[in-house]
Amino acid sequence: MKSPEELAKERLARIEAAVNLEEPDRVPFSGVGGDVIAAYAGITQEEFCFDYDKAKEAIVKFNRDFPCDWTFAAGFVGVGVPPFTYAFADDPDVSATVGMAMFGTIHDIIGDTCTRYPGREIERNCSPQFIGGKFMEPEEYDDLIEDPVKFIAETIIPRICRNMNTPRKAMAAMIRLGMEAEKIKNFAIEVGKELAQLGYPAIPITLGYTPLDLIGDGLRDELNLILDLRRYPDKVKKACEALVEPILKAGLALKPLGVKYAFIPLHLNEYLSPELYNEFYWPYLKEVILGFAKEGIKSFVFFEGRHDAHLETILELPKGWGIAYFEKTDVRKAKEILKGHTCVMGGVPISLIVGGTPEKIDAYVKELLDEVKPGGGYILATSVGIAPRETPVENIKALIEAVEKYGKY
Amino acid sequence: MLDEILKSIVEMEEEEAIKKAKEYLDGGGDPQKLLEVCRDAMGEVGARFEKGEYFLSELILGGEIFKQIMEFTLPKIKGESVKKIGKIVLGTVKEDVHNIGKDIFKVFAEASGFEVIDIGIDTPEEKFVEAVKEHKPDIVGMSCLITAGVTSMKKTVDKLKEAGLRDSVKIIIGGGRVDESVKEFTGADAWADDAAKGVRLCKQLIGVEG
Ligand code: B12
């Protein structure tokens, strides 16, 4: 029996070898998370989002019973409000404490209208939802460009947050946030401790954003933004440029905690033709990735949807820049193009885990690994980490066993 | 003139397309013909999308141009009959709030002659059942963008069965989270994760040449 420390060391080495484009002892495996964590612990989504103790127990129980190398997906309990993160980009201490918190308790305090939580706006057992919205008019691009942090903090936040739309309410909300911050910090520390006892390596992560996605998710709404690209192209580009700095600042606020990776989930990549991608999206995403790299932080980019049309652009980044996690892009194809340059992650459709059988999963993983394992630089994960409540646990087990069986080098 | 309108739409020239369509109608043009041309244009946009030449950004903008032209064209046709090839009840399934894909599919389905009854997002199973009872559609379309929606779709199909309505409709599922295995799991008749293909399949399902 290995000690937790030995186990954690082994797992970390496995992940780092893959990131460094080498062959570890076995293909590293990042497990599933999401709604199934609460369901497995027998608690409601409401409890999972609002009760720190129950959430902690659920996370620990799940990670004990479904071990993996990197418990990335199993750490989130809620959804965030993107503009909120960047409202404090100029105040790194604040940003590091509440800017990235994704909890129901924060939702209650600020009263934001761009997320919906179980037991509040939606049923107790629904998972929390980010619903976005339009909080900015096209005429306001100039204000955003001139001073993005001020504009987000002083104009956008009062529009998004019911409890921050007058100075008095905003002051009260900020004090309540300050009081809650301590609990959130304790929660994170406690979860970290317990996971360490289970042999999980500590891999602190910060958050990054693509400027265009921040405008789409947090300010203009995706659909309006797509139309803006044709209607106000210059303003959109200037706004993207202006957002690079606050995005980096907020991300780097966590640097003192020893973060090694910046997680950057992409949203609009799949929407855009290569022309639009190369004009409005990629140059600024690249700036963000390189900005983190300069500070010794590797980017961990989740390429949502199909990224096929833009795969080659990844080669413009320096070799070993980070991790490319793919959702619907065929990882076999991605690996072919990116081998020796970028660590590739993904490969198992989540629908297979939800609707498949252990036999099917076994056969799928065997075939997948035959193709993508050779040469290293690969982390196995489901296409998205969020597994719904009804996910059969025997399928999660089957996935874990299949990686053990076919993943050895 | 109509050729130019078609070209403007396909080439994504929003202002041009709308301006010319208005001019055409103001000059006494036939709204029915304009409608047909817009439909053809959307067909072409869809075809380019299927070929990988166009992306979602073009589908969205194309849909937007189409909608804007329809706003002033359809009222001129009402009264005269707009022939429909079939009826679809469409909604995003329970627990899922994504509507962009559903709305694009709707525009494309309407552009190719379907009547679409949109019952919204986060749609409970019962609401689909009621809508089928009320509107007697040929097809039920469910849009699903999140994995949690997969079980919602299965439950909806089961509820339609319970209500004895399953055999009266064809069921097509769409959205980013569907594939062959999801189709099998839910008991739907067809699946599509792109709007153009979805419309093609809908025509096939009700036996209309596409
Ligand atoms: C935009 C977006 C949002 C927007 C939605 C805006 C809106 N008004 O719709 C916002 C930011 C609000 C959002 C919120 C959330 N999202 Co979201 N979102 C996306 C994103 C980036 C794009 C989805 C989209 O619009 N695609 C474009 C459309 C046009 O594509 P489409 O729907 O597939 O539609 C096409 C075809 O499928 C077809 N079609 C669509 N419907 C139908 C129906 C029929 C009958 C037919 C025939 C065809 C058809 O036609 C369309 C055109 O070709 C995807 C990532 C991705 N690339 O898929 C994530 C994604 C769908 N979201 C995801 C998640 C998790 C969420 C949230 C739950 C996040 C959260 N934790 O809060 C919330 C949703 C809450 C909820 N319960 O629904 C996940 C789902 C993961 C999973 N497997 O469950 C995704 C896949 C991102 C990811 N990889 O993690 N999201």
Side-chain angles (χ1 to χ4, degrees):
Chain A
M1 207 36 195
K2 286 172 196 136
S3 73
E5 292 78 20
E6 282 166 336
L7 200 52
K9 228 174 113 188
E10 187 181 297
R11 284 168 166 164
L12 187 64
R14 205 170 275 149
I15 297 161
E16 288 187 335
V19 177
N20 294 327
L21 309 170
E22 293 154 10
E23 281 191 359
D25 59 334
R26 162 167 73 60
V27 170
F29 166 52
S30 175
V32 298
D35 302 12
V36 69
I37 298 178
Y40 184 68
I43 61 173
T44 62
Q45 278 294 325
E46 182 184 13
E47 290 168 308
F48 191 55
C49 293
F50 291 92
D51 185 324
Y52 297 112
D53 289 333
K54 285 188 178 155
K56 186 189 79 182
E57 274 168 36
I59 290 173
V60 172
K61 180 177 161 72
F62 190 84
N63 281 297
R64 178 182 302 125
D65 294 353
F66 304 102
C68 66
D69 297 308
W70 193 358
T71 167
F72 166 70
F76 297 110
V77 297
V79 286
V81 178
F84 206 72
T85 306
Y86 299 103
F88 309 113
D90 289 334
D91 305 276
D93 51 335
V94 177
S95 166
T97 323
V98 294
M100 291 176 201
M102 304 197 277
F103 290 97
T105 46
I106 303 274
H107 174 69
D108 274 354
I109 293 172
I110 65 178
D112 68 279
T113 51
C114 66
T115 63
R116 306 200 297 179
Y117 269 80
R120 302 295 186 270
E121 295 84 356
I122 52 179
E123 281 171 36
R124 271 166 209 281
N125 221 7
C126 280
S127 53
Q129 304 174 345
F130 179 76
I131 56 167
K134 184 186 82 170
F135 301 104
M136 171 188 149
E137 298 303 321
E139 300 75 46
E140 294 179 308
Y141 270 113
D142 289 331
D143 300 333
L144 175 66
I145 294 161
E146 199 187 309
D147 190 342
V149 173
K150 181 177 155 71
F151 177 70
I152 291 174
E154 294 174 11
T155 307
I156 297 297
I157 294 301
R159 287 181 192 162
I160 296 182
C161 301
R162 278 176 301 230
N163 298 345
M164 299 183 80
N165 57 11
T166 69
R168 197 214 89 225
K169 285 204 269 176
M171 286 183 249
M174 286 314 294
I175 292 172
R176 290 192 186 109
L177 274 179
M179 298 193 292
E180 198 65 29
E182 200 58 24
K183 293 185 203 158
I184 293 175
K185 206 169 107 192
N186 283 339
F187 168 75
I189 292 173
E190 289 294 315
V191 170
K193 265 194 213 151
E194 300 238 13
L195 291 182
Q197 280 168 19
L198 295 175
Y200 285 98
I203 307 179
I205 287 184
T206 187
L207 190 71
Y209 233 96
T210 307
L212 198 71
D213 284 331
L214 182 53
I215 304 175
D217 292 345
L219 304 172
R220 287 286 290 145
D221 175 282
E222 280 82 9
L223 204 54
N224 290 317
L225 178 60
I226 292 288
L227 301 173
D228 290 351
L229 298 185
R230 304 273 179 176
R231 293 175 182 161
Y232 323 101
D234 296 331
K235 292 202 191 283
V236 176
K237 270 186 270 182
K238 285 208 185 96
C240 288
E241 182 62 56
L243 284 167
V244 170
E245 193 187 302
I247 288 171
L248 283 170
K249 271 191 189 163
L252 290 171
L254 292 179
K255 196 184 164 194
L257 300 181
V259 297
K260 290 187 181 163
Y261 297 96
F263 182 59
I264 312 179
L266 308 193
H267 247 166
L268 286 171
N269 53 322
E270 183 188 50
Y271 279 68
L272 304 175
S273 62
E275 297 87 84
L276 293 177
Y277 183 79
N278 291 327
E279 190 176 347
F280 293 96
Y281 200 92
W282 177 236
Y284 310 103
L285 170 58
K286 199 156 95 176
E287 270 190 63
V288 171
I289 293 173
L290 295 177
F292 279 125
K294 227 166 73 192
E295 302 286 335
I297 294 173
K298 288 187 191 262
S299 289
F300 169 14
V301 180
F302 183 39
F303 293 91
E304 260 183 31
R306 286 199 189 88
H307 199 70
D308 298 65
H310 319 302
L311 272 178
E312 312 271 343
T313 57
I314 298 173
L315 293 170
E316 294 168 25
L317 295 168
K319 186 180 151 190
W321 61 275
I323 304 168
Y325 180 8
F326 292 104
E327 189 200 352
K328 285 169 78 179
T329 310
D330 186 352
V331 294
R332 299 166 189 84
K333 186 178 153 194
K335 180 97 197 299
E336 199 45 47
I337 295 178
L338 300 173
K339 69 170 175 251
H341 179 277
T342 295
C343 171
V344 169
M345 172 163 165
V348 182
I350 186 77
S351 60
L352 181 69
I353 309 301
V354 179
T357 59
E359 297 73 40
K360 278 192 193 162
I361 292 166
D362 185 270
Y364 180 91
V365 172
K366 179 174 189 305
E367 210 176 294
L368 172 74
L369 285 178
D370 273 348
E371 286 188 59
V372 297
K373 191 174 81 172
Y378 172 67
I379 299 173
L380 187 136
T382 48
S383 55
V384 286
I386 310 166
R389 287 195 289 284
E390 298 84 358
T391 310
V393 291
E394 66 271 20
N395 285 355
I396 303 178
K397 289 240 151 77
L399 178 62
I400 296 169
E401 280 160 22
V403 183
E404 202 58 62
K405 214 157 117 190
Y406 306 114
K408 299 228 167 63
Y409 281 96
Chain B
M1 185 74 168
L2 286 171
D3 280 356
E4 282 172 37
I5 296 174
L6 185 129
K7 192 165 160 279
S8 298
I9 300 177
V10 173
E11 298 299 330
M12 303 286 131
E13 294 156 1
E14 184 181 12
E15 281 171 28
E16 272 302 295
I18 292 164
K19 200 178 97 207
K20 284 188 193 138
K22 278 200 180 120
E23 278 170 25
Y24 173 77
L25 288 180
D26 291 346
D30 179 357
Q32 186 72 43
K33 282 221 176 88
L34 179 60
L35 172 68
E36 277 160 26
V37 161
C38 290
R39 284 181 174 170
D40 289 348
M42 293 300 277
E44 176 59 22
V45 172
R48 290 192 186 186
F49 178 77
E50 278 199 274
K51 274 188 267 169
E53 291 167 18
Y54 271 5
F55 289 77
L56 286 169
S57 45
E58 284 77 22
L59 283 189
I60 290 174
L61 189 63
E64 182 70 19
I65 302 173
F66 180 80
K67 267 196 285 187
Q68 291 184 51
I69 298 181
M70 286 308 112
E71 249 166 54
F72 54 82
T73 307
L74 286 180
K76 296 210 155 85
I77 305 180
K78 289 276 151 66
E80 300 172 46
S81 68
V82 183
K83 208 177 148 288
K84 297 288 181 199
I85 60 173
K87 201 193 272 185
I88 304 177
V89 159
L90 176 69
T92 300
V93 297
K94 187 157 184 239
E95 286 193 41
D96 189 347
V97 302
H98 295 83
N99 67 346
I100 299 175
K102 165 180 75 62
D103 292 353
I104 296 179
F105 171 70
K106 179 181 168 186
V107 176
F108 276 82
E110 285 178 343
S112 61
F114 281 98
E115 177 185 357
V116 180
I117 294 140
D118 186 346
I119 57 172
I121 56 171
D122 197 356
T123 314
E125 297 93 12
E126 299 77 26
K127 199 164 163 194
F128 274 103
V129 174
E130 279 158 29
V132 170
K133 279 188 190 148
E134 188 185 335
H135 301 286
K136 307 200 169 41
D138 306 290
I139 297 174
V140 171
M142 290 187 267
S143 186
C144 170
L145 273 281
I146 62 172
T147 312
V150 172
T151 19
S152 306
M153 289 195 285
K154 184 174 164 53
K155 284 187 197 150
T156 307
V157 176
D158 290 346
K159 281 262 159 67
L160 285 169
K161 274 188 198 149
E162 274 168 37
L165 297 165
R166 175 66 185 91
D167 297 332
S168 70
V169 292
K170 296 288 181 195
I171 299 179
I172 184 165
I173 57 177
R177 256 14 89 217
V178 307
D179 56 28
E180 186 62 30
S181 70
V182 171
K183 188 198 100 176
E184 274 168 31
F185 177 75
T186 56
D189 298 308
W191 70 276
D193 64 357
D194 93 55
K197 184 169 148 214
V199 172
R200 217 163 14 81
L201 289 172
C202 283
K203 288 184 180 165
Q204 275 173 23
L205 285 175
I206 59 167
V208 178
E209 284 297 304

